[in-house]
């Protein structure tokens, strides 16, 4: 667990769960003044010369339209970068003021920000915080010391904190060969193990050992994260033909012995013990069992088969068990995205199913270090021009055609809320979330600069939303998409990192049928002329034309992602 100083008086509030019940303040005891504010200052990771901190401020006074939090250090700590607040420092005094998009702080509301800082010697925790000049109560615990408490397994709290992340030389070379690509060719991306042959390398390409050896060379004396996507379940991607896999629905034994076991054997090699190996476990699989089975309009026969035979649950459990037993492996289980799991019918059932998978085939919740959302998807990280609580002429944003009764409008709010739901069903309270930001920037000339017109709830949402997809269910090679936030550690409360798990420039699927020996089918959602199905509201697919097979290089898409990057390149 990480070092924390919580500026709080006991038992202030009963906090609502993810089900949306109201937050009820607890009245102070007679003679005890109400606490005007609380500050949770959490050192998420610390190393010899620096540390990463997440701060959550709760306002128990009158609502604010702007805010500033101040504290002082006892040592030589210097803030070097921050997020979700404008942070300045004069000597030992630090001020964190709101950004333009998060100045509103309701009575009883909270806001979070974070920063990286340097230090030498000791890193004592601050003892006093103020919010707009008013002192926030501080408990008499915490303070002093250093670092994070060790995990019994030897794992660190956040593998990304204080570490470099592996740059795949094969992807980097393709990116650098593109006009303008050198601007991002040094970014870290995921290595996809999407078939058995990928373990040893396909068509002369690098296999798993070659990537790990290259990571050791990049590592030097620093900490280094290697990101792997483990992705070859039987009956894979039962609702998306473009990413179908090589194994049939019943080939669970082959998955175990020819795919997971060889990967585990390589990762367990003591040669690689100094690497922090992050695995993204079987994207899209478990969410499909929630949304695309049974009597739902989105159900498919293959998804019904995989629900009935249990091989998604068994495969995920087996992978978690085998890989989680390796001390330097950090398993992150795929959790879909807000436009998939964010509805009430999907939110809690998904967490329950993930718990079932994480406790099958010998696995336990301790084998899950965290979850990843938005893998290879396009959901905007943060929609700043509207919130789920807004209404237009008495009509809730939830009733707009775009939001369609979802409880979440962007990936950050979903990931943070879903983390709480996962903890509520029995996952460890220290789990962290990853968000794939490789293609969710939505910049360029089409990016709105403010809210839409308030003539109707639809004009308000559609005019202000950054995500410019035709429908939130569209997923294949989306036109207008851009690179998102660059990979970074601990960017927000509960978030271990923003990552580029999907390498920008690799296709989601072919625009038309292409014969291949990779087990990949043709999905009409990748056809720009397709008029849609129940999963995307019978809308146009929004896909780019002339795309190659999934995973193959797509130069036109790469150029579009750079052109529409946000933050801009």
């Amino acid at each position: 667990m990480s070092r924390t100083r919580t500026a709080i008086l006991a038992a202030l509030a009963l906090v609502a769960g993810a089900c949306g019940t109201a937050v009820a303040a607890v009245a102070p005891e007679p003679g005890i003044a109400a606490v005007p504010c609380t500050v949770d200052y959490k050192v998420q990771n610390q190393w010899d010369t620096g540390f990463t901190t997440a701060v959550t401020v709760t306002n128990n006074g009158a609502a604010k339209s702007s805010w500033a939090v101040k504290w002082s250090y006892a040592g030589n700590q210097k803030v070097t970068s921050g997020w979700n607040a404008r942070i300045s420092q004069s000597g030992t005094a630090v001020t964190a003021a709101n950004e333009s998009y998060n100045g509103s702080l309701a009575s009883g509301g909270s806001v979070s920000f974070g920063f990286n800082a340097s230090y030498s010697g000791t890193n004592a925790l601050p003892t006093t915080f103020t919010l707009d000049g008013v002192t926030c109560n501080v408990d008499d615990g915490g303070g002093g010391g250093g670092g994070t408490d060790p995990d019994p397994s030897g794992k660190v709290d956040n593998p990304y904190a204080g570490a470099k992340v592996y740059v795949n030389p094969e992807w980097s070379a393709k990116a650098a060969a593109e006009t303008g690509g050198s601007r991002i060719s040094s970014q870290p991306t995921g290595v996809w193990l999407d078939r058995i042959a990928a373990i040893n390398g396909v068509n002369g390409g690098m296999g798993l050992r070659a990537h790990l050896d290259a990571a050791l060379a990049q590592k030097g004396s620093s900490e280094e994260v290697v990101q792997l996507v483990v992705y070859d379940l039987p009956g894979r991607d039962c609702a998306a033909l473009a990413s179908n896999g090589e194994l049939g629905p019943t080939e669970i034994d082959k998955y175990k012995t020819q795919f997971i076991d060889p990967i585990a054997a390589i990762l367990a090699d003591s040669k690689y013990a100094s690497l922090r190996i992050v695995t993204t476990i079987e994207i899209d699989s478990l969410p499909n069992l929630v949304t695309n089975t049974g009597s739902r309009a989105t159900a498919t026969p293959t998804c019904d088969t995989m629900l009935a035979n249990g091989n998604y649950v068994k495969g995920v459990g087996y992978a978690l068990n085998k890989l989680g037993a390796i001390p330097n492996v950090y398993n992150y289980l795929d959790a879909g995205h807000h436009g998939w799991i964010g509805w009430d019918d999907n939110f809690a059932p998904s967490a329950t199913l993930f718990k079932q998978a994480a406790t099958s085939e010998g696995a336990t919740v301790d084998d899950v270090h965290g979850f990843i959302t938005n893998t290879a998807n396009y959901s905007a990280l943060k929609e700043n021009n509207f919130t789920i609580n807004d209404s237009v002429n008495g009509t809730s944003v939830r009733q707009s055609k775009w939001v369609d009764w979802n409880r979440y409008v962007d990936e950050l709010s979903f990931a943070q809320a879903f983390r709480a739901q996962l903890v509520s069903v029995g996952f460890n309270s220290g789990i962290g979330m990853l968000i794939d930001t490789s293609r969710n920037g939505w910049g360029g000339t089409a990016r709105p600069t403010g809210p839409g017109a308030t003539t109707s709830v639809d004009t308000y949402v559609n005019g202000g939303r950054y995500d410019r997809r035709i429908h939130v269910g569209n997923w294949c090679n989306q036109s207008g998409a851009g690179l998102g936030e660059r990979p970074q550690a601990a960017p927000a409360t509960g978030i271990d990192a923003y990552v580029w798990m999907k390498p920008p420039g690799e296709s989601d699927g072919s625009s038309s049928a292409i014969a291949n020996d990779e087990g990949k089918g043709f999905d009409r959602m990748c056809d720009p002329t397709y008029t849609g199905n129940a999963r995307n509201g019978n809308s146009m697919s929004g896909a780019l034309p002339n795309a190659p097979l999934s995973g193959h290089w797509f130069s036109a898409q790469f150029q579009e992602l750079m052109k529409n990057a946000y933050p801009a390149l």
Side-chain angles (χ1 to χ4, degrees):
M1 295 179 63
S2 301
R3 297 170 60 226
T4 303
R5 175 172 290 282
T6 303
I8 191 168
L9 195 66
L12 286 175
L14 299 173
V15 180
C19 60
T21 54
V23 177
V26 177
E29 295 178 13
I32 298 179
V35 177
C37 48
T38 67
V39 176
D40 181 23
Y41 175 102
K42 180 180 181 182
V43 177
Q44 295 183 309
N45 197 57
Q46 181 172 304
W47 54 101
D48 290 344
T49 59
F51 60 100
T52 300
T53 296
V55 182
T56 298
V57 183
T58 301
N59 171 36
N60 297 314
K64 300 174 180 292
S65 58
S66 64
W67 51 266
V69 178
K70 297 183 179 182
W71 68 91
S72 293
Y73 285 116
N76 59 5
Q77 297 96 327
K78 296 290 184 184
V79 175
T80 55
S81 62
W83 45 93
N84 293 339
R86 292 176 289 114
I87 303 178
S88 58
Q89 184 168 357
S90 177
T92 60
V94 181
T95 299
N98 63 276
E99 294 280 11
S100 60
Y101 55 81
N102 64 356
S104 178
L105 185 54
S107 179
S110 298
V111 66
S112 298
F113 59 90
F115 60 88
N116 292 318
S118 63
Y119 81 102
S120 61
T122 59
N123 180 26
L125 295 169
T127 58
T128 303
F129 298 85
T130 64
L131 174 62
D132 296 337
V134 176
T135 301
C136 302
N137 282 58
V138 180
D139 69 1
D140 56 4
T148 56
D149 297 329
D151 185 295
S153 68
K155 292 181 170 66
V156 297
D157 179 56
N158 180 356
Y160 289 87
K164 299 187 297 184
V165 187
Y166 174 60
V167 178
N168 179 347
E170 293 183 315
W171 176 84
S172 182
K174 292 175 183 176
E178 293 278 347
T179 302
S182 61
R183 293 174 294 175
I184 65 166
S185 59
S186 61
Q187 292 291 349
T189 55
V191 174
W192 286 55
L193 302 174
D194 61 353
R195 46 189 152 148
I196 293 168
I199 299 171
N200 293 319
V202 178
N203 298 325
M206 296 172 70
L208 178 55
R209 281 193 179 275
H211 281 296
L212 296 175
D213 289 340
L216 286 175
Q218 288 183 19
K219 177 182 182 298
S221 60
S222 304
E223 297 292 347
E224 174 108 352
V225 170
V226 180
Q227 302 175 123
L228 306 177
V229 178
V230 178
Y231 183 48
D232 199 27
L233 273 179
R236 189 180 75 191
D237 273 17
C238 57
L241 300 177
S243 44
N244 283 169
E246 62 188 347
L247 301 180
T250 63
E251 293 187 285
I252 185 66
D253 290 337
K254 189 174 182 180
Y255 172 80
K256 293 178 178 179
T257 60
Q258 297 187 33
F259 185 63
I260 295 300
D261 287 355
I263 291 173
I266 293 171
L267 299 187
D269 189 329
S270 60
K271 178 181 181 181
Y272 306 120
S274 64
L275 297 171
R276 298 176 181 179
I277 301 170
V278 165
T279 62
T280 292
I281 302 296
E282 296 295 353
I283 62 173
D284 296 347
S285 59
L286 297 178
N288 271 320
L289 298 186
V290 175
T291 64
N292 298 321
T293 56
S295 60
R296 296 195 183 210
T298 55
T300 72
T302 305
C303 289
D304 282 332
T305 295
M306 300 318 298
L307 179 63
N309 68 22
N311 284 342
Y312 278 5
V313 168
K314 294 173 187 175
V316 167
Y318 189 83
L320 291 172
N321 180 24
K322 296 291 285 190
L323 302 177
I326 303 168
N328 58 316
V329 170
Y330 299 79
N331 289 324
Y332 288 80
L333 186 55
D334 183 75
H337 55 87
H338 92 273
W340 189 354
I341 304 303
W343 280 273
D344 293 343
D345 288 350
N346 305 337
F347 193 81
S350 294
T352 300
L353 180 64
F354 297 163
K355 173 72 177 303
Q356 178 189 349
T359 52
S360 68
E361 299 291 307
T364 73
V365 294
D366 292 334
D367 293 315
V368 180
H369 200 76
F371 290 77
I372 181 170
T373 76
N374 206 44
T375 311
N377 204 262
Y378 299 86
S379 295
L381 179 66
K382 181 74 176 101
E383 292 283 10
N384 294 324
N385 293 328
F386 63 97
T387 76
I388 200 67
N389 298 316
D390 292 349
S391 62
V392 176
N393 301 324
T395 303
S396 167
V397 157
R398 290 192 71 199
Q399 294 175 255
S400 66
K401 292 179 180 177
W402 173 255
V403 178
D404 191 28
W405 294 104
N406 201 319
R407 285 205 180 272
Y408 303 94
V409 299
D410 55 37
E411 221 41 42
L412 180 57
S413 63
F414 166 74
Q416 291 173 324
F418 197 54
R419 180 188 176 279
Q421 180 68 25
L422 291 160
V423 171
S424 77
V425 300
F427 284 99
N428 295 332
S429 61
I431 59 171
M433 307 296 286
L434 305 178
I435 301 177
D436 189 345
T437 59
S438 59
R439 303 184 302 180
N440 70 348
W442 296 105
T445 57
R447 185 179 179 88
T449 57
T454 56
T455 50
S456 72
V457 72
D458 287 321
T459 58
Y460 175 68
V461 171
N462 289 332
R465 61 182 169 93
Y466 300 140
D467 188 336
R468 306 312 298 171
R469 284 179 291 178
I470 298 169
H471 188 276
V472 73
N474 287 354
W475 55 266
C476 193
N477 300 325
Q478 290 299 285
S479 176
L483 302 167
E485 289 285 346
R486 314 306 180 250
Q488 57 180 290
T493 300
I495 310 299
D496 280 351
Y498 296 152
V499 298
W500 283 8
M501 202 61 71
K502 172 72 174 181
E506 291 190 0
S507 173
D508 294 319
S510 58
S511 302
S512 57
I514 298 176
N516 67 90
D517 60 359
E518 300 175 29
K520 295 169 181 174
F522 167 53
D523 196 301
R524 289 297 305 278
M525 287 295 289
C526 302
D527 176 358
T529 69
Y530 184 47
T531 56
N533 54 43
R535 286 188 292 281
N536 83 328
N538 296 110
S539 305
M540 296 296 291
S541 69
L544 292 168
N546 304 314
L549 289 172
S550 63
H552 291 227
W553 191 254
F554 190 7
S555 177
Q557 183 196 52
F558 185 80
Q559 290 294 332
E560 182 145 333
L561 291 172
M562 289 195 297
K563 179 181 71 175
N564 297 323
Y566 190 89
L569 297 178

